[in-house]
Amino acid sequence: MIITATLNGMTPPSWASHVEDKLAPMPLLLVQAFVDTLDRDLGTDIFAHPDEARAWLADAGLRAADPSRPDPGFAVDLRLAREARDSIRALIGRNTGHEPLTAGDLAPLEEVLAQAQPRLEVAADGRVQLGPDPATLPARALADGLLGLLLIIRDAQADGDWEKLKLCGNPDCRWAFYDRSHSRRGTWCDMASCGNRIKNRNLRTRRAQVS
Ligand SMILES: [Zn+2]
């Protein structure tokens, strides 16, 4: 309970301010915040506006940007960011029983892997690390930043945190949330906004079928 209270009391980084609730621990929070830049329930998308997208990616350390300079390459990067976001959402969906990823789902991540420049580094304390290290972001290029996200996912898969990152059971929502429940059976991003809505919808469907 103390852990929960501490995390709830934590002020999230500015790039995660839109997540609000059921936050993953750092650094997995970065993966969650990236996927949740799209809010299908509210119909809002931080990546819908190039200026807003560029500022968010820079704030999150995924792509360095100088707001005072023109950025002609950004349109291509924005497309990759949107597509990689769909891929990573599909990856999280595996934790909630969704279908395995198709070649189409994986293609944007393969593009990231083809463009990124991973680095193997030996630190002064002797640890051998594969980078870009999320702690040393910002990445200069978006592909390096997105590779950093994949490395965070790999570490979370190794330590067991990954499977607690889930997609909301409301098909119109699919919000990524971190399940801190003891039973690990949380289904909704929010019971009030999605859980009850789906329950009511199922109830209406059943009533319609009965009548
Ligand atoms: Zn939801």
Side-chain angles (χ1 to χ4, degrees), residues 41 168-170 173-175 188-190 193-194:
D41 194 40
C168 176
N170 176 357
C173 176
R174 294 284 181 253
W175 185 257
W188 316 108
C189 68
D190 180 85
S193 69
C194 282

Side-chain angles (χ1 to χ4, degrees), residues 78-163:
L78 182 56
R79 178 191 56 78
L80 182 60
R82 284 203 189 110
E83 292 177 1
R85 182 176 63 179
D86 289 342
S87 299
I88 294 175
R89 184 181 294 101
L91 270 179
I92 299 171
R94 292 294 293 149
N95 293 338
T96 9
H98 290 230
E99 295 292 308
L101 276 71
T102 64
D105 290 331
L106 288 170
L109 300 182
E110 276 162 15
E111 197 176 329
V112 168
L113 297 176
Q115 285 184 29
Q117 296 180 312
R119 287 183 301 276
L120 202 56
E121 292 162 358
V122 183
D125 64 3
R127 284 185 310 138
V128 181
Q129 274 193 314
L130 185 60
D133 179 356
T136 61
L137 295 171
R140 277 178 298 114
L142 177 70
D144 288 335
L146 297 179
L147 182 76
L149 287 185
L150 293 177
L151 291 173
I152 291 171
I153 291 171
R154 182 205 54 169
D155 290 346
Q157 288 176 340
D159 68 21
D161 271 351
W162 172 249
E163 55 209 51

Side-chain angles (χ1 to χ4, degrees), residues 52-66:
E52 203 182 339
R54 202 158 77 100
W56 188 88
L57 289 167
D59 188 28
L62 297 179
R63 182 186 184 277
D66 179 350

